[in-house]
Amino acid sequence: MTTERVDLGGVMLAAGTPLTLCIGAANRDPAQFADPERLDIGRAPNRHLAFATGAHQCAGMALARLEAPSRFRDSWPGFRITR
């Protein structure tokens, strides 16, 4: 919800305008990522919005990060994490 009149990408929004954040689109922002459509789990810097931060940080973040490798292996048996 906007608290005051704001210009968002050239569109003026009145105070009190409800907004919705589309996380999937934010993580594909060409202003933030050189190749936004490519899956790159080692992307750096990685200013993504998937788990948020601070008071709004996702409570399941740690669990999701722990489970991700096994879920990939279940779906793709040849999957390996390399560094």
Side-chain angles (χ1 to χ4, degrees):
M1 180 81 61
T2 59
T3 57
E4 59 187 50
R5 185 180 159 149
V6 64
D7 179 329
L8 183 63
V11 176
M12 289 305 297
L13 302 175
T17 301
L19 297 174
T20 302
L21 174 65
C22 181
I23 291 176
N27 291 332
R28 290 190 168 103
D29 183 355
Q32 293 295 320
F33 305 115
D35 190 1
E37 295 300 318
R38 184 171 63 89
L39 174 62
D40 180 0
I41 62 172
R43 182 185 282 164
N46 192 7
R47 296 183 59 215
H48 66 81
L49 301 175
F51 294 123
T53 188
H56 301 286
Q57 186 168 347
C58 176
M61 177 180 68
L63 179 60
R65 287 182 170 162
L66 285 170
E67 286 188 344
S70 66
R71 298 294 179 208
F72 272 97
R73 281 191 295 272
D74 291 348
S75 298
W76 297 284
F79 175 78
R80 285 183 297 180
I81 297 177
T82 60
R83 301 233 182 224

